[in-house]
Amino acid sequence: MPASSSGHRVVLDRVPERYLETALPKAGGRVVILTSSSGRDYLHSKGTLLERGKGRGVVQLHSDKSILTLSLDDLAEWVGPVDEEE
């Protein structure tokens, strides 16, 4: 979150998508799934990025410990609270 001149954090609404960039953690970091895929709805599921390379990432979901291989385009770094699950 950006900081204001007073040092307080502010939330920006309605930021055009062209100004945004998705961040990805290194292996071992926390991620959130941005799209639904593989016939199941994993949208907004959180997990740990086990490995990444060649446009794909292996994620272990926090909810049920299942392991998925997804496009890196479908993932983003999760910086919210660890206990904030579905």
Side-chain angles (χ1 to χ4, degrees), residues 2 4 7 10 15 17-19 21 25 27 33 37 40 42-44 55 58 60 63-64 69 77 82-83:
S4 68
V10 295
V15 177
E17 198 171 313
R18 67 181 174 269
Y19 296 118
E21 181 176 307
I33 299 174
S37 61
R40 283 193 59 195
Y42 295 111
L43 182 65
H44 301 141
V58 178
Q60 183 173 30
S63 60
D64 63 4
T69 300
E77 183 173 27
V82 173
D83 61 347

Side-chain angles (χ1 to χ4, degrees), residues 28-67:
R30 294 181 295 149
V31 294
V32 61
I33 299 174
L34 302 174
T35 62
S36 298
S37 61
S38 304
R40 283 193 59 195
D41 186 16
Y42 295 111
L43 182 65
H44 301 141
S45 295
K46 287 128 187 124
T48 301
L49 184 63
L50 301 177
E51 59 184 77
R52 63 185 264 193
K54 297 188 181 182
R56 310 289 295 167
V58 178
V59 176
Q60 183 173 30
L61 298 181
H62 293 164
S63 60
D64 63 4
K65 304 299 183 206
S66 61
I67 296 182

